[in-house]
Amino acid sequence: MKLTIGKRDLQELLQRCQSIVPARGTMSILSYVLLSAEPEGVYLTATDLEVVLRVFAPAKVIQPGKAALLARKMFEIVRELPEAEVQLAVEDNSVKISCGVAEFVLSTLPADDFPPLPSWKEEELFPLNSNLLSDMIRKTIFAVPTTETRQTMTGALLELAGSSISMVGTDGHRLAIMAAELSAAGRNASVILPKKVVAELKKLADEAVEPLQCGFLKNMAVFVTSKAVLVGRLIEGNYPNYKQVIPSSTCRSAIIPKENLYGALRRVSLLSDERSHTVKLELTSDKLFLYSQDSEIGDAHDELPITLTGEEISVGFNASYVLEALDAIDEAEVRLEMNEPLGACLFTPVKKSSQDENTGEQPTDEQPDKEQRRYVCLIMPLKVN
Amino acid sequence: MFPGSTWFFMNNMGFAQIRGQEKAIGFLKRMITHGRMSHAYLFYGPDGVGKKTTAEVLAQTVNCLRQEEDKLTAEACLECSACRRIKKQIHPDVKLYEPDGNFVKIEAIRTMQHEISYKPFEGRYKVFIIDQADKMTTAAANCLLKTLEEPPAHSLIILISAGIHNLLPTVVSRCQRLEFSPLPASIIEDVLAESCGLASADAHSLAFFAEGSLSAAYSFDQKVLLKEREAVLANLEKLGRSKEAFLTWAASLAKDKDKTKLERHLKWLLLWFRDLLLWQYGVTGKELAYQDQRERLAGGAGLYSIAELQEKISAIYQSHEAIIRRNANPRLALDVLFMQLMPGRQSGAGMK
């Protein structure tokens, strides 16, 4: 294998792979990247067996071929090279990297040792708006736990049914659901994507200008852009039945300006209990009172004007859960809905356009309400006295 | 004694190349072809008889790329990329867990439980092999219970253990048990002769020395061992004639801090007296460890009665126990032993 590639291009490819390559592990082949030189350019593949990322850059390939190169060392070497063309030549079990008069020889592993990328057909892929995907991930990923004994919850659920798409994340204490309608009818699929896959997918969606080409294979999800391919391994098993915990109707509802609530919560939570971050919210017909107390330091109090429909109520929350939910809401006002002090509490954005037809709460007529509600964050309250 | 070394030694072993375990392998093959694989197996039996190799071949068989998608056969091709990578232990879906230090720790089991939750990377089954499962800590074993009971789809857990009694009964009852038997000496002899190019008489002796464990036979330094066998034979000759000769022998053996050499000499000695006993009963064929030494055996057998031979054998056992387990003074114990072994003396008479 022999090729010439711009230093900057090669560095960018290697840089992109660094977040995938595991820091340490039992399989040494995973600390390598697979370099494959094809007539059209260079492909670099990295994997930690959870995600596989393949990136592409055009290059002048003199002789095609494949080899596995040490990911970190390659990156460190290429980063320090002068701005010029880099020549790579692989022979037997080593690669020669030359740039100007500088020359490096690194040992390689056979390309066959590298875990293979799954194969898929062009017709298995369908386009997905990369903006929407990135937004869905941003609004749900915070609820996906990193460690959890129930393994199915360590991923985000991506569901496609006809023309609707939804992503769900939950850690058992809170639940974030983002749903949307697609312009074209997509496929039917329901997969659990590991958190790392979702995080890498967001990166891919953010840098893509065109729609992502997506596909769901037997054990993998594939996302393709013109420059990169991301393959995510799926989690086995059934996602918890999250629909069950969403109350079908609520008897209390308050509309609160988001920024004010956000500010007040941050202030009051300064004196909340170190471990539980408990903040007590007391909703009255025209005011929201916020209290927190750390038995050793002191207590805090703040209040906001609100409009409450339904009876007065007082409820406790983990302030950081509420703050994260508010972070995910882009609209100026947030609606807080609940039935009882220890029941699920829904945080939804209040859409300006639909506000008029939605002012009167109609708990019995739930169908039209649900379709408009594209983002919901459900938080379980804490017990407070 | 030398668990799992065959894993690295042998090239391209399929089920057909695993010798002496026809029962266990026949059972596995039927399970595979009938599509009735259990989700968890427990392979138990002495070390070095093919448990780990069988686990490896099973992993290859279910993940071989040349197998048809929906109908598995019991033969892996051993040549495709998947089979090769399983052999090299770099297949994404086949993981091996071994004791970290003296124990298989709970962290290893937790890692396994995380990995088992994914769908397979490329194969049909995710295979998790826990070697020396009897070395699992109680916490690790308890942690494994839930996964053993209800593993996610497409997973195959194989526990490997010398016995089933050192495992929690709750673990054992959740696995399909498969017993591996010690290998007959004839099989070890064949394999040693074929793969190490040993003379048939040498291979025969070493096969008896290995006591049914192929990996033990492989891990011996065969030249050293055969030399020691000659030394034992030479010393036995002297034992009959000179009273001083055995004292020099005992001194040279007791000199080494490392007791493994002494242990090997005792084992050769034991095999010699075993052969003498068999000879007295009229056995002259392949069952003798010193098959090539018929003349010496015939000569030696004449010196002892059957009852005497039985006493000598138990004397060797006792000294071995005393030196290795009870930390007796090797020089003293050997002096006593060799006196006991001298022809024409009753056991214990040497001390008088």
Side-chain angles (χ1 to χ4, degrees), chain A residues 30-286:
Chain A
L30 299 185
S31 50
Y32 287 69
V33 285
L34 180 68
L35 176 82
S36 89
E38 304 284 343
E40 67 273 19
V42 169
Y43 294 92
L44 229 57
T45 314
T47 180
D48 63 352
L49 299 186
E50 201 172 342
V51 263
V52 191
L53 180 74
R54 192 180 71 178
V55 283
F56 170 78
K60 216 173 94 196
V61 175
I62 300 146
Q63 191 194 347
K66 282 178 176 183
L69 316 176
L70 263 174
R72 205 128 291 157
K73 266 290 166 260
M74 270 303 279
F75 176 59
E76 285 167 8
I77 290 171
V78 172
R79 195 174 46 186
E80 302 303 334
L81 290 177
E83 298 287 335
E85 294 284 290
V86 181
Q87 273 107 45
L88 296 180
V90 175
E91 256 174 51
D92 299 329
N93 295 322
S94 65
V95 58
K96 193 163 86 183
I97 308 143
S98 26
C99 182
V101 283
E103 207 176 275
F104 297 81
V105 178
L106 260 186
S107 54
T108 62
L109 283 183
D112 282 357
D113 285 0
F114 204 81
L117 211 63
S119 56
W120 62 87
K121 296 188 196 81
E122 209 52 50
E123 63 262 29
E124 284 181 274
L125 302 183
F126 58 93
L128 253 184
N129 182 338
S130 51
N131 244 332
L132 171 69
L133 205 53
S134 165
D135 195 37
M136 289 177 66
I137 295 171
R138 181 173 68 83
K139 291 180 173 178
T140 50
I141 194 171
F142 64 88
V144 180
T146 28
T147 51
E148 165 67 41
T149 43
R150 270 175 295 174
Q151 295 289 349
T152 50
M153 270 161 59
T154 57
L157 177 74
L158 182 62
E159 268 186 316
L160 282 154
S163 64
S164 65
I165 180 168
S166 69
M167 188 174 268
V168 184
T170 180
D171 62 1
H173 304 288
R174 55 187 164 159
L175 169 74
I177 308 172
M178 169 86 185
E181 297 298 316
L182 298 172
S183 46
R187 319 276 166 114
N188 290 336
S190 170
V191 295
I192 309 173
L193 298 169
K195 190 167 188 173
K196 180 159 184 193
V197 174
V198 180
E200 288 296 330
L201 177 57
K202 184 164 187 305
K203 278 192 213 165
L204 189 73
D206 284 342
E207 66 188 22
V209 277
E210 75 278 16
L212 290 177
Q213 293 292 320
C214 305
F216 297 107
L217 315 175
K218 202 171 131 217
N219 300 322
M220 305 278 196
V222 190
F223 305 93
V224 185
T225 70
S226 56
K227 277 186 174 165
V229 173
L230 180 79
V231 177
R233 202 167 169 188
L234 304 178
I235 293 177
E236 193 113 51
N238 297 321
Y239 200 74
N241 184 3
Y242 65 92
K243 285 175 183 149
Q244 209 177 352
V245 299
I246 306 170
S248 53
S249 63
T250 49
C251 60
R252 294 183 176 87
S253 161
I255 291 176
I256 313 170
K258 190 195 105 178
E259 285 307 323
N260 296 358
L261 179 58
Y262 193 84
L265 263 172
R266 281 186 64 118
R267 276 191 295 279
V268 172
S269 66
L270 288 174
L271 285 187
S272 65
D273 178 72
E274 284 278 333
R275 274 183 51 232
S276 66
H277 302 287
T278 312
V279 170
K280 187 172 149 189
L281 271 62
E282 228 177 80
L283 293 96
T284 63
S285 59
D286 57 348

Side-chain angles (χ1 to χ4, degrees), chain A residues 26-27 29 47 49-50 52 110 112-116 118 149 151 154 194 218-220 233-237, chain B residues 69 81 84-85 88-93 95 113-115 117-123 126 146 152-154:
Chain A
T26 44
M27 268 169 78
I29 185 72
T47 180
L49 299 186
E50 201 172 342
V52 191
D112 282 357
D113 285 0
F114 204 81
T149 43
Q151 295 289 349
T154 57
K218 202 171 131 217
N219 300 322
M220 305 278 196
R233 202 167 169 188
L234 304 178
I235 293 177
E236 193 113 51
Chain B
E69 194 51 50
S81 157
R84 272 192 321 98
R85 281 180 293 127
K88 284 175 85 174
Q89 300 191 37
I90 52 170
H91 192 283
D93 292 317
K95 292 277 162 69
Q113 285 172 329
H114 177 71
E115 283 170 356
S117 68
Y118 294 106
K119 290 183 185 255
F121 189 91
E122 53 175 306
K126 297 159 284 178
K146 212 178 122 236
H154 313 110

Side-chain angles (χ1 to χ4, degrees), chain B residues 335-352:
Chain B
D335 281 352
V336 173
L337 173 66
F338 290 155
M339 281 189 241
Q340 285 172 331
L341 293 184
M342 284 178 75
R345 288 188 184 244
Q346 291 298 310
S347 288
M351 289 303 283
K352 281 177 192 163

